[in-house]
Amino acid sequence: MEFNKKSKNRVLKAVNNEMSYQKLTASELHQFVQHWNYDDGIEPFEWIIKQKHLDKGTALCLYWMLQPDYFCRFKNEDELQGDVNYVLHYKLIKEIEERYCSSFYEDENFSFNPKDEFLDENSNTKCIPTEMLEKSAGTVFERQDIEFAFLRKPNGKEAKSIDAKIKDAAKIIQVSNPDFIYGETDIAIQAIIESVEYWKGKELEKIKINNLSYLWMDCVLKQHNWDWIIWDWETGNNVGVTNATKELVCLADTIIRHTIDGFMPSSIIVDLYKDLEGITNFYDLRRDPYSGIGLLFSTDHLKFRE
């Protein structure tokens, strides 16, 4: 069985709808089943259960993720009273049963035991085939951590690069505002907005316009006592700033990119800058969270490494 960093990244992308689950390998599908948010619907599994390469243990795992014992209270589909979601779940469960018990799934690489997590002496299993109650053959392949990322302070080389980009941002502003000198943060924020408006629609091949993000983040850092942070992945990293609790992060590749192309109005540059004052999480925000437009990220689930 092969499940490496690349596999983790592929599963994560599939769960986040950044790539098709139809491209996942058998081992990746086993992890996809365990990581999928079932509140988002079961559409992927209507395709997945029809695949011959789906491992028998994965099919059994999915079956119990769908909570088949809940449906034992109903005699048939008609008793579901037309609830569309219930009907879809019920049909998917019955199709898995039919394929599983008829040996449609031939590979048995991943063992799954319903009794480890889903069954106890109080479980109602009167409607469940005996075969679906037993441990499948193969090797146990428990849920893996696919969020292989953490936060850390910038190293010396990264800190020098950040400083250089802040200085470059000042030079970009000075093209349209020769008198600009970076000092007071409120003035710098307004200068960034004016620079974005100036450069919209112009040739940017020789201008590293994204460096304005570094100046914006430095203003946030100075005004709100945030810190420089590296959001470090095993497959790469991003520079950003974070609040004292490390629960919120703004990344370098967002606010200028979102405004220079017109995706968001340039006023968002000052709005977010002001709204970050004194907040530690999304619930502290005075307006709707900025996460939906990719400007502010929750990182309370990530470890911080000195």
Side-chain angles (χ1 to χ4, degrees), residues 111-167:
S111 174
F112 182 80
N113 189 354
K115 296 175 183 176
D116 288 343
E117 186 175 350
F118 293 94
L119 293 175
D120 57 35
E121 63 277 6
N122 298 316
S123 298
N124 179 6
T125 61
K126 63 182 181 181
C127 71
I128 296 176
T130 302
E131 193 171 348
M132 309 301 292
L133 300 170
E134 301 298 327
K135 177 181 178 181
S136 63
T139 303
V140 175
F141 187 25
E142 295 179 345
R143 189 177 189 271
Q144 304 291 300
D145 181 10
I146 59 173
E147 282 276 4
F148 50 101
F150 60 91
L151 303 178
R152 62 172 173 81
K153 293 180 180 179
N155 58 36
K157 183 178 180 180
E158 290 163 338
K160 289 181 179 179
S161 176
I162 291 169
D163 288 340
K165 290 178 179 180
I166 292 171
K167 293 176 181 177

Side-chain angles (χ1 to χ4, degrees), residues 50-65:
K50 295 178 174 63
Q51 308 311 305
K52 286 290 291 184
H53 71 280
L54 185 68
D55 193 86
K56 194 170 184 177
T58 306
L60 187 61
C61 178
L62 171 59
Y63 179 79
W64 283 99
M65 287 289 189

